Amino acid sequence: MNTESTKAVIVTGSTSGIGFAIASRLYAEGWRVTLNGYRTEKEGADLCAKMPGADYVDADVSTSDGAAHLVKTAVASFGQLDAVVNNAGVAWRIDHSDLDAVDDEFWDKIMAVNLKGPWNVAKAARPHLARSSGQIINNASLAGLTTTGSSIPYAVSKAGLVHLTHLLAKALGPEIRVNAVAPGYIDTPLTHEWQSVRDYVEDNAPARRLGDPEDVAEAVHGVMKMGYVSGAIIPVAGGLQVL
Ligand code: NAD
């Protein structure tokens, strides 16, 4: 029997893109998966029809109530919680030099989903993960490690998530491991139209190609199996981080 087959995981923001690839990979590895998105009930229902046994919970992880509802429903369904993948995130492109285009609403939305979201879910999940010697994997970004990214607020939110990963690894050990992946440019609905970035990556990344959502899922599944790794940030960027 697959040793992963009794374990339960929540993947936030899994109705699309990278989150969907992560949820599909873990499902294929035998995990019992709770899918999540916000105002994506139709997509969630369609995905559950293709993944028998998986659940979907519509919840806004940027609010503590939404995160608590997500965790409570997942634990009620599967009776335990062994891992959380904090993947939900939002991004819109604003040139870093265009400070005037960034307003309060933009900052608040980005920080609420990308940084407070993982905090909210970690806080709600902590007692359950502590019981199962579980783990948290955050989906950060290369933008949180280098001076790149779709906008300055986005990059700062991901830099915050990198530091949150370090702080939670320290605070929640030894019961809970906390790690992050830091994708570079991954071909998803979020990034599909960003042609200039696509060209740059194809010309310059050591891998000379964009990443696929499945590349990130591979890394997430890999780090989940590394029992002695905590507080690590793993670039999944075709080598872009060395440029
Ligand atoms: P996507 O737009 O395809 O998917 C985003 C998902 O998040 C959707 O399921 C959406 O419903 C969900 N979501 C949005 N707001 C939410 C909220 N408040 N509560 C719950 N769910 C919410 O995006 P993607 O490209 O797959 O990105 C997924 C993650 O990967 C994000 O955190 C993003 O910052 C990160 N990332 C993406 C890239 C890339 O190149 N695509 C690179 C680095 C990091």
Side-chain angles (χ1 to χ4, degrees):
M1 187 190 196
N2 186 334
T3 52
E4 294 172 87
S5 66
T6 55
K7 298 196 167 185
V9 60
I10 294 171
V11 185
T12 71
S14 45
T15 54
S16 166
I18 296 170
F20 171 64
I22 294 168
S24 302
R25 175 64 187 263
L26 296 178
Y27 181 80
E29 298 288 347
W31 285 74
R32 293 179 291 165
V33 178
T34 298
L35 301 153
N36 156 258
Y38 181 43
R39 297 183 173 153
T40 51
E41 288 98 338
K42 162 99 177 65
E43 292 89 335
D46 291 348
L47 292 177
C48 284
K50 290 183 202 143
M51 299 166 76
D55 264 355
Y56 170 78
V57 180
D58 202 86
D60 178 2
V61 297
S62 73
T63 69
S64 50
D65 284 353
H69 168 65
L70 170 61
V71 170
K72 194 172 165 201
T73 310
V75 172
S77 295
F78 294 124
Q80 68 191 75
L81 184 63
D82 302 277
V84 165
V85 183
N86 278 315
N87 166 79
V90 288
W92 299 273
R93 277 191 89 178
I94 296 182
D95 192 279
H96 288 200
S97 63
D98 192 0
L99 271 54
D100 291 337
V102 177
D103 58 17
D104 287 356
E105 195 188 345
F106 189 91
W107 265 110
D108 292 347
K109 177 77 179 167
I110 293 251
M111 296 303 272
V113 179
N114 296 5
L115 183 54
K116 236 177 87 202
W119 164 264
N120 288 335
V121 180
K123 191 173 163 188
R126 178 195 188 168
H128 308 287
L129 294 175
R131 261 196 295 283
S132 61
S133 297
Q135 57 180 310
I136 297 169
I137 300 94
N138 294 322
N139 192 355
S141 171
L142 211 56
L145 300 172
T146 63
T147 52
T148 58
S150 50
S151 69
I152 285 182
Y154 176 83
V156 170
S157 75
K158 293 298 186 175
L161 185 54
V162 166
H163 202 45
L164 182 65
T165 302
H166 291 150
L167 291 164
L168 287 179
K170 186 176 170 192
L172 301 186
E175 292 85 5
I176 303 170
R177 293 191 297 120
V178 186
N179 292 294
V181 291
Y185 189 92
I186 310 299
D187 196 3
T188 71
L190 191 74
T191 53
H192 198 67
E193 307 299 324
W194 302 354
Q195 192 57 47
S196 58
V197 190
R198 298 174 74 91
D199 293 344
Y200 175 79
V201 172
E202 284 171 354
D203 290 345
N204 294 286
R208 297 286 194 279
R209 69 169 176 89
L210 308 179
D212 293 320
E214 291 72 22
D215 291 317
V216 183
E218 173 84 23
V220 168
H221 183 235
V223 76
M224 287 174 81
K225 291 194 295 181
M226 296 175 187
Y228 194 56
V229 175
S230 193
I233 313 296
I234 300 174
V236 189
L240 268 178
Q241 76 278 7
V242 301
L243 297 185

